Amino acid sequence: MSEPDRSALPDRGPLASTSVAAHLTRGAIGFGLIAAALVLTTSRGPAALLFAPFGLLALRGCPTCWIVGLIETISAGRLRRACTDAGCTLAQPERQV
């Protein structure tokens, strides 16, 4: 079994968004829906908890997944992975003028 070519990996991680603004918008929607589910439970009953799955869907998983995605979104394109037989290193990409 051969090892996959790591130099062909995309710059963004699986939890990253296309922009920081889009990621923050998803976070506001996700955390807002989760907060609404918890707050409205006292006045509307357990049916209000139906907001929570949609909040988790907006966050692409748990709140920790959203934070990891934010870090991946911020760092996307700032570092490049260069892998050889000796191992992998991180380097800044060459700037095009």
Side-chain angles (χ1 to χ4, degrees):
M1 184 185 250
S2 66
E3 193 170 316
D5 179 21
R6 297 194 183 277
S7 62
L9 291 175
D11 289 342
R12 290 189 196 345
L15 299 173
S17 296
T18 55
S19 71
V20 174
H23 199 84
L24 292 176
T25 301
R26 274 196 10 233
I29 292 169
F31 286 117
L33 286 171
I34 292 171
L38 295 175
V39 170
L40 292 175
T41 302
T42 58
S43 63
R44 301 291 180 208
L49 291 175
L50 293 174
F51 286 129
F54 295 108
L56 292 174
L57 183 66
L59 295 177
R60 292 187 187 160
C62 62
T64 304
C65 299
W66 181 83
I67 293 170
V68 169
L70 178 62
I71 293 168
E72 288 177 350
T73 302
I74 292 170
S75 68
R78 294 182 186 220
L79 293 176
R80 291 245 187 242
R81 184 180 312 173
C83 295
T84 62
D85 290 336
C88 293
T89 59
L90 291 175
Q92 290 184 344
E94 296 174 12
R95 306 246 178 206
Q96 296 179 358
V97 179

